[in-house]
Amino acid sequence: MFKADSHIHTVFSADGKQMPEEAIKAAAAAGLSEITVTEHCECNNNAALPPDEEPWPDLDVVNYTKTFEKLRETSPVKINIGLELGQATQGAEYAAKMTAAYKWDFILGSLHNVVNELDFYYIDYKNKDIPALFSQYFDQLYETVLFGGFSSLTHLYYPVRYIYRAGLTVDLSAFDEQIYAVLELCAKKDIGLEINTSALNDKFADFVPGLKYAKMFRSLGGKIITVGSDAHRAERVGLGISEAYEMIKQAGFAEIATFEKQTPVFHKI
Ligand SMILES: [Zn+2]
Ligand SMILES: [Zn+2]
C-alpha cells in the first residue's frame, strides 16, 4: 500500500535529532514509499524564543538541498525536498526570500507563536488567559493562510499540545467559528490540510486535526490532504500514517496528496 510521510525534520532543523541518512533508513524500515523533508524556516528572527535560549541559525538552504539531492540518487524511498515555513506574516520579506531560494517540492505553513508572545512551547500557561491566546492564534492563523506561499497547513491547533503538557485542558469547539474560517480559506485557495500524527505518539489526542475538522474541511470543498509525522527523530518516522489514512477515509476522502515541485500528486488510499 502507498504510504508517505510528508513532514520530517533532520539536523538541518535546529531541533532535529536525526541525521538525513537515519531518516531515510527509518522510512524504508517503516515501509514508506515516499518521504518529504520539511526543515524549519522560522521567519520571525528568533523573536519567540526566551532570552536564555540559543538563537536558531538560518536554514542552510544550499547544504540542506544538496545533501538530499545526493541522497536521492541511492535512496530506496522517494525523497521530496521541502520547507516548514513558520510565521511568514511576522517576517514577510524573509519568507519571500526563502520560498524563492530553491525549487521546493513542498512548503508547509505553520504558526508557532502569536505576535509579541513566546513560542507556545515555552509559555507558562498558569499565568495566561488561554481562551484569549487561542482566539489570537486562530486569527493570526487565518492571516497566515491569507498571506499564503505554502501548499498545506500543518498542525491546525498546535498550542493544544502544550496546554495538555501543562496539565490543563481546552475546549476547542469554542473556536469552531474561527477554525471554520481558516479551513474555508484553505479550501478556497487550494491549500491542503495536513493531518499531523505526532499527537498520537504524545498521547494527548489522535491526530491534529482529528475527524471532526477533517470532515469540516471536506464539507467546505477542501480537496488536498497531506499526512505527516512531524518526526524529529528516527523512531518517529512514519508513525501513525496508516491510522491517519483510516481516519481520512472516514472523513470521506479517497485520496491523499504528496507534492512535487509544489504540484499535488494524488494517491488513492
Ligand atoms: Zn511546526
Ligand atoms: Zn514540524
Side-chain angles (χ1 to χ4, degrees), residues 7 9 38 40 84 155 230 232:
H7 189 158
H9 299 275
T38 50
H40 284 298
E84 179 179 347
H155 45 57
D230 210 346
H232 287 66

Side-chain angles (χ1 to χ4, degrees), residues 98-143:
M98 293 301 273
T99 51
Y102 182 70
K103 216 168 167 22
W104 303 106
D105 286 312
F106 184 49
I107 301 179
L108 281 170
S110 69
L111 183 63
H112 298 123
N113 69 279
V114 294
V115 174
N116 294 328
E117 256 302 350
L118 293 176
D119 189 309
F120 287 102
Y121 178 91
Y122 295 105
I123 290 177
D124 179 1
Y125 293 97
K126 301 223 162 37
N127 305 311
K128 285 286 173 192
D129 179 345
I130 293 173
L133 205 54
F134 267 70
S135 185
Q136 266 182 294
Y137 171 77
F138 287 117
D139 271 352
Q140 292 180 28
L141 194 62
Y142 183 88
E143 294 301 321

Side-chain angles (χ1 to χ4, degrees), residues 202-246:
D202 291 332
K203 310 236 182 317
F204 70 83
D206 48 5
F207 307 105
V208 175
L211 182 61
K212 172 181 167 180
Y213 297 105
K215 276 185 173 167
M216 188 186 276
F217 183 56
R218 183 163 160 77
S219 76
L220 292 167
K223 290 189 175 59
I224 300 172
I225 294 279
T226 67
V227 185
S229 67
D230 210 346
H232 287 66
R233 52 183 80 241
E235 57 269 30
R236 289 212 165 181
V237 172
L239 274 189
I241 303 290
S242 304
E243 292 87 339
Y245 286 179
E246 288 312 308

Side-chain angles (χ1 to χ4, degrees), residues 66-86:
K66 282 210 180 327
T67 298
F68 276 98
E69 281 175 3
K70 182 92 192 119
L71 287 166
R72 222 179 221 166
E73 293 168 14
T74 52
S75 170
V77 176
K78 183 176 187 312
I79 300 173
N80 305 309
I81 303 174
L83 269 189
E84 179 179 347
L85 191 68

